[in-house]
Amino acid sequence: MIRARVTVTLKNGVLDPQGKAIEGALSALGFGDVAAVRQGKVFDIEMEGSDRARAAAELKAMCEKLLANTVIEDYAVEIG
Amino acid sequence: MIRARVTVTLKNGVLDPQGKAIEGALSALGFGDVAAVRQGKVFDIEMEGSDRARAAAELKAMCEKLLANTVIEDYAVEIG
């Protein structure tokens, strides 16, 4: 069993209204030191097998096909 | 400027219908090795100042008050 974590974040320059809303809410709660917040997604994926190279290739394909919108998002894969 | 990443994930045992949907979609796309998917959130936060201990304490408070629902979610803070 291989466990991987895929992190999908918005590319720099892409507007993040959700992050801005969180930034405003933190500020309203008294966290005045917060300069910027950007929100992303994380996927914890368990895969059958033990071939890490194969898993890495499959995870990259999953990101390209489903998990990330590569026009506006970056992804990072960590195999744990 | 301190940059931190907060990762919020569902606790074990909490149902994750979104993760299940992604699991089904990956399976339908031909990724047969996927055994389980759980989705979480990630927040990239920039904070003013350079006091890492203070930032760590503030980030913990942000998680408890806003970023995570600690009844059903766990959080992890990494200061980069």
Side-chain angles (χ1 to χ4, degrees):
Chain A
M1 187 72 79
I2 289 174
R3 280 167 215 273
R5 170 163 284 186
V6 173
T7 309
V8 176
T9 50
L10 284 171
K11 286 185 198 278
N12 286 335
V14 177
L15 283 179
D16 179 9
Q18 200 169 0
K20 282 281 169 207
I22 295 163
E23 203 179 307
L26 287 171
S27 199
L29 284 169
F31 296 106
D33 290 348
V34 174
V37 179
R38 306 235 341 138
Q39 188 175 354
K41 287 172 277 189
V42 65
F43 303 95
D44 288 320
I45 300 178
E46 289 182 14
M47 297 178 72
E48 313 281 357
S50 57
D51 182 340
R52 292 166 66 93
R54 178 158 185 261
E58 291 231 315
L59 286 159
K60 186 166 187 295
M62 287 178 210
C63 290
E64 297 283 341
K65 286 193 188 162
L66 184 76
L67 301 179
N69 174 353
T70 54
V71 177
I72 56 167
E73 291 172 328
D74 289 322
Y75 61 85
V77 175
E78 284 167 77
I79 297 181
Chain B
M1 185 73 79
I2 289 174
R3 281 168 214 273
R5 170 162 283 185
V6 173
T7 308
V8 175
T9 50
L10 283 171
K11 285 184 199 281
N12 285 335
V14 176
L15 284 179
D16 179 8
Q18 200 170 359
K20 281 282 170 209
I22 295 163
E23 202 178 307
L26 287 171
S27 198
L29 284 171
F31 296 106
D33 290 348
V34 174
V37 179
R38 310 246 323 146
Q39 187 175 355
K41 284 171 281 191
V42 65
F43 303 96
D44 287 320
I45 300 177
E46 289 182 15
M47 297 178 70
E48 312 282 357
S50 58
D51 183 340
R52 291 166 68 93
R54 179 158 184 262
E58 290 230 315
L59 286 160
K60 188 168 187 295
M62 288 178 209
C63 289
E64 296 284 341
K65 286 193 188 162
L66 183 76
L67 302 179
N69 174 352
T70 54
V71 177
I72 57 167
E73 291 172 327
D74 289 323
Y75 61 85
V77 175
E78 284 167 76
I79 297 181

